[in-house]
Amino acid sequence: MNIAVIGTGYVGLVAGAMFAKVGNHVTCVDINEQIIAQLTAGTIHFFEPGLQEVVTSAVAAGNLHFTTSIADAVPGADITFIAVGTPSEESGAFNMDYVHAAAKDIAAVLQGKKHIVVLKSTVLPSTYTEVRKILGSKVEVVSNPEFLREGRALGDFEKPDRVIIGTESEEVFEKVHSLYAPFLKESDPAMRMKPVSAILTKLFSNTMLYARIALVNEFAQIASAMNADTVLADMEEIRKGMGRDARIGTAYLYPSAGVGGSCFPKDDRALREFSKEMGLDLPITFAVDRSNDVHKLYMPQKVEKHLGSLQGKTIGVWGVAFKARTSDIRESASLAAIDYFLEKGARVRVHDPKALEEAKEHYGDRVTCCDDKYDAVAGADCLVVMTEWDEYKIPDFAKLQELLRAPVIFDGRNIYDPAMQGFTYFGVGRQG
């Protein structure tokens, strides 16, 4: 099948590369000439495990191409995917300018011809109606939300737990479904539903997970408050006990330094603003984002409480990406912590295996970016672990003791044993 994919971010490039991997002819479009030049030269512009290899192989096989021109991609395509960004406005609402622009460009190229356009971007219910109006009655518009986790996107695409195809047409459903068929051999989790139901499934799912994590982090703060004088509660024990309840389970029950990334906070805010437009009062939806913002200060305030004034102190930070296996730093809890340290007059030294360039671009010379994780803690008053990268899980603790000015670890991901010898340890809802 011939496929056009508009947008080469996480969603667009992963989808395009994976469809090309199984033999489809895919043309990815982006208005950013620099990104297209990089991709054409064989370099992808963000880190996602395994994606570089898939892109390289698909290009070599002649199945994957890149262009800045929608006119070069859409006319010969059987299906066109819109996978452009929907960034947040200051209010929290989605900015749909890129989606509308892509739809208008597609309409100009199609000139009233029949076609299938799939909305892969995360959008609002109203967007579906607006895109249909732009494209005209001869174009079938399908809602096909993505459920890819950054850092595990290829695995999620190859073995999806659901493929949601929102369309009123059985014929169109079958055609889009056939595109996913190579990835659905072991089971068929494809679901046909109304287009708006598909859109809301995505928004509701992300907001549900966001609320779950925010609530667990609030529980961790309660557990931590019990440990003012002696260790009375351990959130690790508590979450395991909660997880034994089949109604609760263990997924997304891990306390952390806060939720980041481009999906959960963003989708919750957009849903909040959309509900306001409909005149609805949804207090839980409104509270989740505020809870996360408050919790992002939990770890840096722990550091301040232990060290006293942060003026002139040196803080070593391991991890800038919002989670492991990605270079994405958007809304990372690490950024909130680093900003807090800088505002309080501390010097900050950071390391991240994949997001160091993003950190340099974000902070410039306000922080010291270190290529080696041990350089980040040299002479520091403490180590703060903010991302659960594998290479942080079993460090040389003896070396850490030598390099740190004081053997103090603040573990924002609970990856260490609080009983380890030779360190003062602070976790999330654990000791300290």
Side-chain angles (χ1 to χ4, degrees), residues 337-354:
I338 293 169
D339 289 345
Y340 188 90
F341 297 145
L342 293 175
E343 289 169 7
K344 296 291 183 173
R347 294 183 291 269
V348 180
R349 301 173 64 84
V350 304
H351 173 267
D352 190 286
K354 296 296 181 181

Side-chain angles (χ1 to χ4, degrees), residues 307 310-317 338 340-350 365-368 376 378-382 405:
L307 296 181
L310 295 179
Q311 183 67 43
K313 297 292 197 315
T314 299
I315 312 295
V317 176
I338 293 169
Y340 188 90
F341 297 145
L342 293 175
E343 289 169 7
K344 296 291 183 173
R347 294 183 291 269
V348 180
R349 301 173 64 84
V350 304
D365 60 2
R366 291 191 294 145
V367 304
T368 301
D381 293 279
C382 66
R405 189 171 297 166

Side-chain angles (χ1 to χ4, degrees), residues 277-346:
E277 292 175 8
M278 293 188 292
L280 300 176
D281 180 14
L282 306 177
I284 295 176
T285 306
F286 278 64
V288 175
D289 200 46
R290 180 179 178 277
S291 174
N292 188 50
D293 284 344
V294 170
H295 187 74
K296 283 183 178 181
L297 300 181
Y298 168 81
M299 191 54 67
Q301 288 174 345
K302 266 185 175 290
V303 175
E304 185 177 34
K305 182 178 179 181
H306 179 75
L307 296 181
S309 172
L310 295 179
Q311 183 67 43
K313 297 292 197 315
T314 299
I315 312 295
V317 176
W318 280 1
V320 185
F322 83 93
K323 68 174 184 177
R325 297 170 62 86
T326 181
S327 58
D328 195 347
I329 68 172
R330 286 175 290 182
E331 306 224 23
S332 171
S334 186
L335 299 186
I338 293 169
D339 289 345
Y340 188 90
F341 297 145
L342 293 175
E343 289 169 7
K344 296 291 183 173

